[in-house]
Amino acid sequence: AVGRDVVSFRRNTQVSYMFVERARDLVNAINKYIEKVENSCDPDWDSFMKFVMAIEPLEDILFKLLAVTEDEKEGYFSSTQSVIKCIISVEIWAKNRDEL
């Protein structure tokens, strides 16, 4: 769902696409370690520890991106005529960019 929402961004698009691409690369790497563990005749503790230790940080980062996607898919400063709303939108954009 995050990848789908990132497509709708009108701001931070390049950073967001890069973020999702790297997250997918990490998911693929984790899946390879899982596959190695499942297909190993002997316990492959190294691969097991690598995928176990990678899951939680990846989830944390993706949950942060999910929060940013909620703001970004809704907001775009040119959709309003109010100067105050434009300033608020830019401040949200800056905060979200820092989060990414």
Side-chain angles (χ1 to χ4, degrees), residues 22-61:
R22 289 189 180 168
R24 285 184 182 144
D25 291 344
L26 288 171
V27 167
N28 290 337
I30 289 168
N31 285 332
K32 285 180 184 176
Y33 285 122
I34 291 170
E35 186 177 333
K36 284 176 70 174
V37 169
E38 289 178 345
N39 294 333
S40 178
C41 293
D42 297 321
D44 185 351
W45 292 108
D46 184 51
S47 295
F48 177 79
M49 290 307 295
K50 285 180 180 176
F51 88 74
V52 167
M53 298 303 289
I55 291 173
E56 188 173 340
L58 179 59
E59 286 178 340
D60 291 343
I61 291 168

